[in-house]
Amino acid sequence: QVQLVESGGGVVQPGRSLRLSCAASGFTFSSYAMHWVRQAPGKGLEWVALISYDGRNTYYGDSVKGRFTVSRDDSKNVLFLQMNSLRAEDSAVYYCARDFFRYSGSGTYPDYWGQGTLVTVSS
Amino acid sequence: IQLTQSPSFLSASVGDRVTITCRASQAISSYLAWFQQKPGKAPNLLIYAVSTLQNGAPSRFRGSGSGTEFTLTISSLQPEDFATYYCLQLKSSPFTFGPGTKVDI
């Protein structure tokens, strides 16, 4: 069955960096685009980033563009989110999610989700 | 593309018919999905492409709409349906979620 397990969250000071990972199993990872979505405590969902199935295309939300980088290692079935210049408003649970359709270059519907990893940005 | 949802909060009873509206700031064709989220859990895809029911989602959930206005209807609310519902547009990047509608008892 499809499994997505996020890791790498924790407490980090403003201005510092953090890298999140998402370990995928139960499907052909290299065939699917992948999303990152976050949710601040008590708030709604915010779409963060997408990487195409082949890694050629990446897309970002306006609030993270230029600071966050999404990447993937298909040899290890792992998705990454490199977060730089972190701000207090980046504090959230970060979810990775698989795209619905295979071989999507620009992303469609996130269907399978991990349970999330909590990032807290605080001094 | 901005999404708004109405109402933001809805109080209902088991057996009620419930309708949630999602409006987009511009036409998004059929690139709209609905998610259900329960406290402490990841979101769950209910409907994609406006009206297609995801595998395993109960048939009491129905999506409709076009252009800039979309609705999620629950025909007969069940105890397990009390949750927060979000719409998501994927017409163009950055993709955006609506602010959510909490359905409470």
Side-chain angles (χ1 to χ4, degrees), chain A residues 74-95:
Chain A
D74 289 348
S75 68
K76 297 180 179 177
N77 292 349
V78 181
L79 174 73
F80 299 103
L81 185 67
Q82 177 67 41
M83 305 187 295
N84 298 332
S85 304
L86 282 163
R87 306 166 180 168
E89 53 266 35
D90 295 319
S91 296
V93 173
Y94 284 75
Y95 297 100

Side-chain angles (χ1 to χ4, degrees), chain A residues 43-76:
Chain A
K43 303 296 184 183
L45 300 170
E46 180 184 10
W47 181 83
V48 173
L50 170 85
I51 185 167
S52 60
Y53 76 98
D54 56 7
R56 292 184 180 183
N57 301 312
T58 56
Y59 305 86
Y60 298 94
D62 290 342
S63 62
V64 307
K65 197 175 298 182
R67 299 187 299 123
F68 289 13
T69 302
V70 59
S71 61
R72 62 192 300 155
D73 183 342
D74 289 348
S75 68
K76 297 180 179 177

Side-chain angles (χ1 to χ4, degrees), chain A residues 47-49 59-63 65, chain B residues 1-2 88-97:
Chain A
W47 181 83
V48 173
Y59 305 86
Y60 298 94
D62 290 342
S63 62
K65 197 175 298 182
Chain B
I1 297 174
Q2 311 296 322
L88 168 67
Q89 72 79 20
L90 303 105
K91 175 68 167 66
S92 63
S93 177
F95 301 155
T96 44
F97 284 93

Side-chain angles (χ1 to χ4, degrees), chain B residues 42-101:
Chain B
N44 180 48
L45 177 65
L46 285 175
I47 288 171
Y48 62 94
V50 177
S51 60
T52 304
L53 201 63
Q54 169 68 327
N55 286 342
S59 59
R60 61 182 178 273
F61 290 94
R62 179 177 175 269
S64 62
S66 64
T68 62
E69 187 160 327
F70 304 88
T71 58
L72 172 68
T73 301
I74 310 172
S75 60
S76 177
L77 202 63
Q78 297 302 300
E80 59 268 29
D81 300 337
F82 292 97
T84 301
Y85 294 85
Y86 297 92
C87 53
L88 168 67
Q89 72 79 20
L90 303 105
K91 175 68 167 66
S92 63
S93 177
F95 301 155
T96 44
F97 284 93
T101 294

Side-chain angles (χ1 to χ4, degrees), chain A residues 6-123:
Chain A
E6 302 92 340
S7 62
V11 180
V12 60
Q13 293 179 330
R16 304 297 291 265
S17 299
L18 202 63
R19 189 176 82 158
L20 305 183
S21 300
C22 169
S25 61
F27 65 102
T28 305
F29 181 70
S30 59
S31 297
Y32 289 86
M34 297 292 295
H35 301 256
W36 285 102
V37 175
R38 70 184 181 183
Q39 186 169 36
K43 303 296 184 183
L45 300 170
E46 180 184 10
W47 181 83
V48 173
L50 170 85
I51 185 167
S52 60
Y53 76 98
D54 56 7
R56 292 184 180 183
N57 301 312
T58 56
Y59 305 86
Y60 298 94
D62 290 342
S63 62
V64 307
K65 197 175 298 182
R67 299 187 299 123
F68 289 13
T69 302
V70 59
S71 61
R72 62 192 300 155
D73 183 342
D74 289 348
S75 68
K76 297 180 179 177
N77 292 349
V78 181
L79 174 73
F80 299 103
L81 185 67
Q82 177 67 41
M83 305 187 295
N84 298 332
S85 304
L86 282 163
R87 306 166 180 168
E89 53 266 35
D90 295 319
S91 296
V93 173
Y94 284 75
Y95 297 100
C96 65
R98 193 194 77 169
D99 202 66
F100 188 87
F101 293 108
R102 296 174 71 182
Y103 307 124
S104 172
S106 57
T108 63
Y109 313 99
D111 58 354
Y112 286 95
W113 296 60
Q115 284 309 299
T117 186
L118 177 63
V119 172
T120 302
V121 183
S122 172
S123 54

Side-chain angles (χ1 to χ4, degrees), chain B residues 1-15:
Chain B
I1 297 174
Q2 311 296 322
L3 297 181
T4 59
Q5 284 183 238
S6 59
S8 54
F9 180 85
L10 189 158
S11 183
S13 301
V14 172

